Amino acid sequence: GAVVSQHPSRVICKSGTSVKIECRSLDFQATTMFWYRQFPKKSLMLMATSNEGSKATYEQGVEKDKFLINHASLTLSTLTVTSAHPEDSSFYICSAPTRKRPDTQYFGPGTRLTVL
Amino acid sequence: DAKTTQPPSMDCAEGRAANLPCNHSTISGNEYVYWYRQIHSQGPQYIIHGLKNNETNEMASLIITEDRKSSTLILPHATLRDTAVYYCIVRGANFGNEKLTFGTGTRLTIIP
């Protein structure tokens, strides 16, 4: 299957700082990528849809000015959590479909963010 | 809201078949049934999907009832590595741009 990577795998930061998470499609091009958030013992919640070369589409209740998404190339999307607070601590996961298999989404391994 | 209902947890003995049920009574004619699983602290992994017919791949089998209101994922010979949360998801056919809506899933524990 297609490979999606995320960097970093885990990050700890101080409250008020910004954190950037990268999502890369290693062996395919992704015009669309999805960003999810998962709190402990909860299910995945879609945050936004990232589209290469255009603005991201955010789900209701997700602050676009706080969670900045950039999809500058066909293999890279970034999520920046600005002015992070402890309540932003979560597991952030990205996914993307491939052109060969548009019916299937491939997920990254996730990034564990802890805000102190 | 998720369109599926799954039992919160199940146990299965190692080596036996694990049968995970899912109800999707409001599924539309053009919507597919997808199964993903998530091993602890990892990203979800695609397992299988189907529309009407039963499907089988190297990981599992998917049995969809004739009225399409429910389905069962079958792991034929469960191993300890199959311990995970299994998500049954109904989605449309707008492939590529269709988002996945995750419910609470079934936490499957394989017992040695």
Side-chain angles (χ1 to χ4, degrees):
Chain A
V3 179
V4 176
S5 71
Q6 285 185 238
H7 177 79
S9 58
R10 56 178 62 228
V11 55
I12 301 172
C13 69
K14 293 182 179 179
S15 186
T17 61
S18 295
V19 175
K20 180 184 285 188
I21 301 170
E22 295 184 346
C23 176
R24 292 183 186 273
S25 56
L26 297 185
D27 53 356
F28 67 99
Q29 294 181 331
T31 55
T32 301
M33 288 183 173
F34 300 90
W35 285 96
Y36 295 81
R37 180 169 55 181
Q38 185 175 34
F39 292 108
K41 299 190 183 301
K42 299 293 185 182
S43 189
L44 285 79
M45 295 296 294
L46 181 68
M47 299 176 66
T49 302
S50 170
N51 300 296
E52 189 267 337
S54 64
K55 290 183 179 180
T57 304
Y58 290 82
E59 294 299 299
Q60 190 174 8
V62 177
E63 302 174 56
K64 61 180 181 181
D65 294 330
K66 180 171 181 61
F67 299 98
L68 301 179
I69 290 174
N70 185 282
H71 195 152
S73 79
L74 288 172
T75 59
L76 174 65
S77 175
T78 60
L79 168 68
T80 301
V81 183
T82 62
S83 187
H85 292 285
E87 57 265 31
D88 298 322
S89 298
S90 188
F91 194 49
Y92 291 86
I93 309 169
C94 68
S95 73
T98 68
R99 289 178 185 174
K100 274 187 180 180
R101 290 291 307 273
D103 57 348
T104 301
Q105 286 193 29
Y106 296 91
F107 285 81
T111 296
R112 174 81 56 195
L113 170 63
T114 303
V115 184
L116 301 176
Chain B
D1 292 337
K3 299 180 181 180
T4 62
T5 305
Q6 298 176 252
S9 64
M10 291 180 64
D11 291 341
C12 178
E14 187 179 15
R16 306 295 289 265
N19 297 282
L20 292 91
C22 179
N23 286 325
H24 31 79
S25 58
T26 61
I27 191 171
S28 300
N30 63 347
E31 289 183 315
Y32 290 71
V33 179
Y34 276 74
W35 284 84
Y36 283 80
R37 73 180 181 184
Q38 185 178 24
I39 296 171
H40 182 62
S41 294
Q42 297 182 22
Q45 177 189 23
Y46 165 80
I47 302 174
I48 198 167
H49 75 278
L51 182 64
K52 294 180 183 178
N53 300 322
N54 298 337
E55 302 287 345
T56 296
N57 63 20
E58 65 278 3
M59 289 183 70
S61 294
L62 173 61
I63 308 299
I64 303 174
T65 58
E66 193 168 340
D67 63 7
R68 302 211 321 125
K69 292 185 177 181
S70 65
S71 61
T72 301
L73 177 75
I74 302 173
L75 307 178
H77 304 288
T79 70
L80 297 178
R81 287 177 295 180
D82 292 322
T83 292
V85 177
Y86 287 76
Y87 296 99
C88 169
I89 299 169
V90 167
R91 66 174 291 193
N94 185 13
F95 298 143
N97 296 320
E98 182 84 9
K99 62 185 181 183
L100 294 177
T101 301
F102 286 81
T104 53
T106 295
R107 181 172 299 278
L108 175 66
T109 302
I110 305 302
I111 309 298

